[in-house]
Amino acid sequence: MKTLVLLFHPNSQSSNANRRLAEAANTKEDVTVRDMYQLYPNFQIDVAQEQRLLEKADRIVLQFPMYWYSSPALLKQWEDAVLEYGWAYGSTGDKLQGKELLIAVTPGAPADNYVHNANFKYTVTDLLRPFQATNNLIGTRFVKPFIVAGASSIKEADLEKATEEYANYLTKELELLGDYE
Ligand SMILES: Cc1cc2nc3c(=O)[nH]c(=O)nc-3n(C[C@H](O)[C@H](O)[C@H](O)COP(=O)(O)O)c2cc1C
């Protein structure tokens, strides 16, 4: 299985959590990591090249720090530019069908904020529904997201554990996330 990790972090050099997760992913055979902000600092995405790489992948991973309960802006630009009508969706847009889509996200705030009766009111999975809806449109298979909460102040031992879990997660068989799970 070929896994393509697209990392969307505005500054991966100054990142702690995402940099370490990406480094761990890179050690795995058949996993390719692309640092999208480094490749496209001006948001001028090479659509044909990105589509070619996606077509070759079996599992597509979108990895990013949570920004404003969502993602950094380049990921939105990537969706707008790369997921074209007639390629990703529409009557002839079947190029991503059947591939797995995995979201790997690091909310800065601790996990106990992301429950229905806590201050943020929504789970991280709730907040990822736009990606799940996009998944439904493009015919990919939305697997259970990989979430490292509390990333802003994560202890070294916990980050070390998370990086190991991530590297394993990327290469094992994954369960799908239910529509309202
Ligand atoms: C512009 C911006 C917006 C952020 N929004 C959120 C947010 O909505 N929820 C949250 O839990 N953390 C938020 N954070 C914290 C980041 O998610 C956190 O710093 C990041 O996941 C840490 O990963 P890194 O070490 O790879 O940068 C935000 C940070 C920035 C800079």
Side-chain angles (χ1 to χ4, degrees), residues 125-179:
T125 307
D126 290 338
L127 297 168
L128 296 177
R129 293 294 180 217
F131 292 104
Q132 197 168 5
T134 299
N135 162 85
N136 297 340
L137 184 72
I138 65 179
T140 44
R141 303 167 66 238
F142 202 73
V143 295
K144 292 194 172 168
F146 186 85
I147 301 165
V148 182
S152 291
S153 53
I154 193 165
K155 291 196 188 86
E156 172 54 29
D158 292 335
L159 183 55
E160 184 63 31
K161 190 161 164 269
T163 59
E164 278 169 31
E165 283 170 3
Y166 186 48
N168 289 332
Y169 201 75
L170 288 178
T171 49
K172 72 176 193 187
E173 215 170 284
L174 298 177
E175 287 174 23
L176 298 180
L177 184 76
D179 285 339

Side-chain angles (χ1 to χ4, degrees), residues 93-106:
D94 60 356
K95 295 293 191 289
L96 300 177
Q97 273 191 14
K99 298 177 188 295
E100 286 182 7
L101 183 63
L102 166 62
I103 306 295
V105 62
T106 66

Side-chain angles (χ1 to χ4, degrees), residues 9 14-19 65-70 106-109 114 120 151-152:
H9 191 294
S14 70
S15 153
N16 182 30
N18 282 277
R19 182 177 50 80
M66 180 174 279
Y67 277 11
W68 291 108
Y69 308 102
S70 179
T106 66
Y114 288 101
F120 291 171
S152 291

Side-chain angles (χ1 to χ4, degrees), residues 39-52:
L39 287 163
Y40 304 116
N42 300 319
F43 281 49
Q44 300 298 313
I45 295 176
D46 182 341
V47 172
Q49 160 83 344
E50 293 305 318
Q51 288 181 344
R52 262 196 306 276

